[in-house]
Amino acid sequence: MEHDKDGAKPEQSFQQNADGKQGNRERMNLDDVVWAPCPKDGYKTAKIKDIGATDITVKFSDGSPGVFGYDDIYPTEKDLKRTVDDNCALMYLNVANLLNNSKERYINDKFYTYVANILVAINPYKNIKGFYDAATIKAYKGKSLGTLPPHCFAIADKSYRDMKVFNQSQSVIVSGESGAGKTENTKFMINYLVHNYGSGQSSLDAKIIEANPLLEAFGNAKTVRNNNSSRFGKFIEVHFNEKHAVDGAQFSHYLLERSRIVSQNKNERNYHIFYRLCAGAPADVKGALKLQAPEAYHYLNQGDTRLFGSQLKDPMLNDKGDFVRTENAMKKIGMAKDKRMDVFKIVAAVLHLGNVEIIDGSNGGAEVTPKGIPAINAAAELLGMDATQLIESITTRATKIPGEATLVKKALIARNAIHARDALAKALYAKLFDYVCELINKSIPAGGSSFIGILDIAGFEYFENNSFEQFCINYCNEKLQQFFNKRTLKDEMELYKTEGLKTKGVEYIDNQDMIELIEKPRVGIIDVLDEEMKLPKPLDSHFAETLYNNHRKNGRFLSPRKSPVTKYKALTDSEAFILRHFAGAVCYNVNGFVDKNTDGLHDSLLQLCATAKHSILVKMFAADAKRKTGRGKLQLKSNGSTFRTNLNILMEKLNSTGSSFIRCIKPNEKMAPQEFNGASIMSQLHSAGIPAVLELMQAGYPSRTHFSDLYGMYKKHMPAKLSKLDPKLFTRALFQALGLNTNDFTYGVSKVFFKPGKFAAFDQMMNGDPEHLREMLKKLSSGSSKPDGDTTFTAYGWRSNSKRKSSIEELQQQQFRPTGEDGSSVVDKSSFWSSSVDPRISSLDQMSSFKRRRRFRKSKNGSENWKKNAGGKKKKNASENWKKKNEKERRKKSEKCGQKWKNNEKLRKQGKRRGTKMQKIQAQMEADMARTAAEETAKRQREEQERRDRELASRLQMEQDEDASQIGLSTAPTRQKNIAKNEKGQRYDLTKWNYAQLRDFINTSSDVEMIKSCREEFARRLQAYHKWKDQNKASGQSTGTQSEARMPDNVRAMAEQAVSQTGSSAPVTVNKKQRYFKVPFNPRQGGAKLGWWYAHFDGNYVKRQMELHPNKEPILLIRGRHDLEMCELSLEKTGLTGRKGAEIFPHIFDEMWERCGGKLITDWKPPPRRKQN
């Protein structure tokens, strides 16, 4: 045995510590404070009390214990009150610290925060003075992300600058649950863009700003979760001209919630315009419209009839005052007084239609009651219709009988007549909403081809009763979540791979199977619903049964009996179905699905609307009247199919633009300020995909640009001496001039990438202002700006600052030196060959020729002497003998070569067979590993989906019963028993022993077999614990750094390779020898060693361990006292036995141990063993 020859001798390189003092490394212990899951707060601080092979036992501050899986425990920040603008700046990037950071900021009225370049906005439910005023709008103009506190203005400005620099339209996707603040953030961003980059035309800017409140009046309503909930989706495009000034806008809308027009849930309201008209219209307008208080109307009194600004309180809403603002917005888009009155007439007519009472008459047909006559008369008058014809169209249906030329009117029963009345009301309001949107778009020019689009659509929804509207909204959010995953995760990882960047991959739930379940041709939910609509007698129950027949084996489709919510378990398969969305499982009641999917009008009602004496009404129904079929009912396209088509068009538009994301979060269900429901917020963060983004951002690069784009931006301002540089070399020169830290960015094949939190440097570089560009080029030309400290670019070929020439001179010299894709210099092979290799070959040829001539001369002289001295016969015999000898030698050589060739051929065939066999074995191993990895990934995704289902069910249960406590289930996996026997034959389950009991038994017992079992169990726990520590290391800290190096990286890598090849189930070979090893730590750049690592193995596991680092005190560790800081791997897994020169003699280890003060540590005795019950 011999020790390593690398490096200096230990006694010459390391400070001695005769007192046995340890280094300054922070010790880990079982009282570490961590984040543990909490059903109420999301996460709470707790102390680790025990570690297992699959779980951790903690103790909360109130004394209650908890057992959780390693994946659910996270390390805390050192200062829990410290906050950061960008969560990527946290020391430990995890969702628990993100939640705590958001909470601390929210309490201090800082409700915006970043996750890289994604904005997380938590609704404050109050006005904060000066937060959105003109001064703040001006302050964010042209500022980079990170230079000012997080704000939606910063996202809007980033989108504007990206549009300008990359010459590509941009989209901002504002997403979140109802009540999370999407609509408000949308308005603030539009206001920001118009004020900072407006056209200067006050009328155009005012139209763009006021269009959104007008849409809110007709499309927003109060729900149980939000007082101003958008019940439709809108995509607002703010267009810009060639000078990048606002010159137009376009508004697109999707899926207005029609069912709300005729019915609402308890504590919810109809659309705002109804209440504003009743509360704020002047007396003469009310008289002309025959309006009363909201509670007088059936379409309003099913829900909440209270008014904002009176019985209801909200800082942003006031029904009476908002009517004035609505009317002013109508004026600004060019609606004259008579047109405004026509709109109000339709709104009022819808209210009067709801009060038309219909019953079954004596003749079996439906008829309007005397109480309903005034209402039908009022509605007919406002719509410009004949009251008698309106009654007849509602209570009868015109049907074509085969063989008859004319239509025959058939009386409807009361239920069907009420359905026809409601269908008319829904059609009137929906067409009016389309008309208002059309007027807005006509009043505002379309503008240039470049635009910034802001998508504001209802977020993921789940209520106690979910119907067709929630189904469509959640379908839309599935598509948007897929888009988010693709842009932020999938495409990002593929880009890193293409550009040659080594980053850690992340796992996320791919919801493509959910989308296919909804929109797959023929068997998807939408197509099945459309087929049900075409049947002679469509039934909701038959629709549900068909879905079960098609999808009962689909993991995304469940029976209501499998729901964790008690109420849903009582429903049958023909009454409801469950879809397991990305955000959690939602139960949909099928009652009304078919009717809500069609909403078609009878022919008679349609013709009545198309011929009414009302200017707007005729225009609204003109197109539909042309599609009359003569069968008594229009065959309209289904609402579901129409929504699917519009949604796909929207997704195509989003995919063609650059994108930014704002994730809006709802802090509590009461819509109250300063209340932070951690569990609810944690669920929303998971649904928004933020944890996956955090994981990717730990090693990712959220900002990037092409070398050619950067070069092109500066090219027209370059002096001649810079124009010769290629784009990549120019980029490096620019970064050197800016003094950027090399740790903040990296070079890919075609792009440069920036680390999270370095947006300021990136945006400084990408600022397209001509003056700024000239300033940067001036710095570059003069070389006046020097990098700080060790940030010079010597790694890329430049010398140190103190010795180099000016930047440009040196770079121009490098310009003619070819470079590889990684930026390193590439030698010209042809010139290298001609200058170095050719002369050597020429010399060798000359020497070889000289030797051949010399041998020839010797051979010639010898032949002449032989001829002179030899006789006749003697000459002949000698010649024959010489020939025979040469022939014999030739045959022998030939046979030898032939045998050698045969042996080589045999070996080649054997090697080929062996190689083929090894390839098959290797392929089988790789296939097994891939299959195992895929199974583990699928298992984790199933567990994550189940967790989200439980969280959603828990939130719904708490909303239904506020006094109910959430179910706090342990997240710990089921422990597999580890039975061991002692000398007396007694059996123990070691998984029930805690960490201290195992340690004490190992150090104090004399039972050899039991100690062996305890050591194996102890090692399993330490390995799991250290794996968790490595996975949750501090930001910027690599595994195995000097601060927490339990073993060198090469030992760790060998262990990981052994685990991946053999698996955790491989049997452990017991080693009873005392063995000693010495291994150097990984070298720094330049070759200097970090230090030495000594290990004394007593059997399979380390008993003593030393870490010696230059200019630091020695770190000496002993089993039983420092277990959590020592190497936890078995000797077999470390690979040390197969490493040449690693094993040393015992006396070498002992001498170094004593020299470093190890005697005092060795004298330590473990505490007496506690008895195991």
Side-chain angles (χ1 to χ4, degrees), residues 19 119 232 313 321 343 372 399 441 481 509 659 842 992 1061 1063:
D19 297 333
L119 182 68
F232 71 105
K313 304 296 182 184
V343 171
T399 305
N441 286 332
Q481 183 66 24
I509 296 179
S659 56
S842 178
K992 296 182 179 179
Q1061 292 178 352

Side-chain angles (χ1 to χ4, degrees), residues 1141-1155:
E1143 190 162 5
I1144 59 177
F1145 289 107
H1147 74 273
I1148 296 177
F1149 183 95
D1150 291 335
E1151 287 177 1
M1152 182 58 64
W1153 180 265
E1154 291 185 6
R1155 187 178 295 114

Side-chain angles (χ1 to χ4, degrees), residues 77 79-84 89-91 100-101 104:
E77 295 286 296
D79 184 2
L80 296 181
K81 295 295 182 182
R82 170 181 170 265
T83 64
V84 293
L90 292 169
M91 180 178 294
N100 181 68
N101 184 53
E104 294 297 325

Side-chain angles (χ1 to χ4, degrees), residues 451-720:
F451 66 86
I452 295 176
I454 303 175
L455 178 65
D456 172 16
I457 198 164
F460 183 81
E461 288 193 345
Y462 61 96
F463 298 103
E464 185 177 351
N465 294 309
N466 302 286
S467 189
F468 179 75
E469 294 81 12
Q470 282 69 47
F471 166 76
C472 290
I473 288 170
N474 293 340
Y475 163 46
C476 174
N477 279 272
E478 289 282 358
K479 299 278 281 189
L480 292 176
Q481 183 66 24
Q482 185 185 53
F483 176 75
F484 174 79
N485 289 340
K486 185 176 184 296
R487 281 293 172 95
T488 61
L489 302 174
K490 186 177 179 180
D491 286 357
E492 195 79 359
M493 288 185 284
E494 289 179 356
L495 176 64
Y496 293 162
K497 184 178 180 180
T498 303
E499 291 286 333
L501 307 183
K502 295 182 179 180
T503 56
K504 179 184 175 183
V506 298
E507 293 181 3
Y508 60 91
I509 296 179
D510 187 355
N511 61 342
Q512 178 60 32
D513 54 347
M514 182 74 251
I515 294 173
E516 291 178 355
L517 174 62
I518 295 173
E519 63 181 18
K520 192 173 183 179
R522 292 180 300 191
V523 295
I525 295 176
I526 292 178
D527 279 7
V528 171
L529 186 57
D530 288 351
E531 289 300 317
E532 187 67 33
M533 179 184 67
K534 298 175 183 177
L535 297 178
K537 290 185 178 181
L539 297 173
D540 295 323
S541 58
H542 183 261
F543 160 67
E545 290 169 358
T546 306
L547 289 181
Y548 276 100
N549 292 334
N550 291 342
H551 306 295
R552 64 177 62 195
K553 294 183 180 180
N554 193 318
R556 293 279 192 174
F557 189 92
L558 296 178
S559 167
R561 291 191 295 271
K562 296 183 180 181
S563 172
V565 180
T566 306
K567 177 182 177 180
Y568 298 149
K569 291 181 179 180
L571 298 174
T572 64
D573 292 350
S574 61
E575 294 176 323
F577 62 90
I578 292 177
L579 295 182
R580 303 181 72 187
H581 292 286
F582 71 93
V586 177
C587 183
Y588 297 97
N589 193 314
V590 298
N591 184 28
F593 254 68
V594 176
D595 288 339
K596 292 176 181 179
N597 188 46
T598 55
D599 279 338
L601 285 180
H602 298 315
D603 233 7
S604 55
L605 284 173
L606 182 60
Q607 291 302 316
L608 193 62
C609 292
T611 58
K613 296 178 181 179
H614 190 290
S615 59
I616 294 179
L617 199 60
V618 173
K619 294 178 182 178
M620 293 192 311
F621 285 89
D624 290 337
K626 294 178 181 179
R627 295 199 300 266
K628 184 178 67 171
T629 64
R631 295 176 54 190
K633 186 175 180 178
L634 291 177
Q635 297 299 310
L636 298 176
K637 204 171 184 179
S638 75
N639 290 329
S641 295
T642 302
F643 181 62
R644 175 176 57 187
T645 301
N646 293 337
L647 181 57
N648 288 331
I649 293 173
L650 171 65
M651 298 311 299
E652 289 178 4
K653 184 171 288 188
L654 293 179
N655 282 311
S656 67
T657 64
S659 56
S660 298
F661 295 91
I662 299 180
R663 295 312 218 185
C664 296
I665 304 296
K666 185 177 182 180
N668 60 76
E669 298 298 332
K670 298 178 182 178
M671 295 180 285
Q674 294 294 307
E675 287 195 21
F676 193 90
N677 187 329
S680 173
I681 293 173
M682 196 72 257
S683 177
Q684 294 175 69
L685 290 173
H686 275 289
S687 299
I690 296 300
V693 175
L694 268 182
E695 188 178 351
L696 180 64
M697 287 303 105
Q698 289 187 42
Y701 304 88
S703 300
R704 76 291 309 267
T705 186
H706 280 276
F707 297 125
S708 56
D709 290 342
L710 187 64
Y711 181 82
M713 184 189 304
Y714 285 83
K715 185 176 181 180
K716 60 184 178 181
H717 302 288
M718 287 184 190

Side-chain angles (χ1 to χ4, degrees), residues 852-864:
R852 284 197 302 272
R853 289 196 300 271
R854 186 177 180 183
R855 285 196 299 270
F856 175 77
R857 285 196 297 270
K858 287 183 178 180
S859 175
K860 186 176 181 181
N861 293 334
S863 178
E864 291 177 353

Side-chain angles (χ1 to χ4, degrees), residues 1098-1113:
D1098 178 14
N1100 270 339
Y1101 297 100
V1102 172
K1103 182 177 182 180
R1104 291 182 293 168
Q1105 176 177 316
M1106 282 187 293
E1107 299 172 27
L1108 308 181
H1109 299 286
N1111 303 320
K1112 289 183 178 291
E1113 295 180 348

Side-chain angles (χ1 to χ4, degrees), residues 1053-1109:
M1054 182 70 71
E1056 291 175 353
Q1057 182 179 1
V1059 171
S1060 64
Q1061 292 178 352
T1062 63
S1064 58
S1065 60
V1068 178
T1069 304
V1070 178
N1071 175 20
K1072 298 182 179 180
K1073 295 182 180 179
Q1074 306 288 321
R1075 303 182 73 172
Y1076 303 83
F1077 299 88
K1078 171 191 171 189
V1079 180
F1081 281 98
N1082 286 2
R1084 285 196 181 100
Q1085 292 181 356
K1089 298 293 182 181
L1090 286 178
W1092 293 95
W1093 183 76
Y1094 290 77
H1096 166 206
F1097 280 81
D1098 178 14
N1100 270 339
Y1101 297 100
V1102 172
K1103 182 177 182 180
R1104 291 182 293 168
Q1105 176 177 316
M1106 282 187 293
E1107 299 172 27
L1108 308 181
H1109 299 286

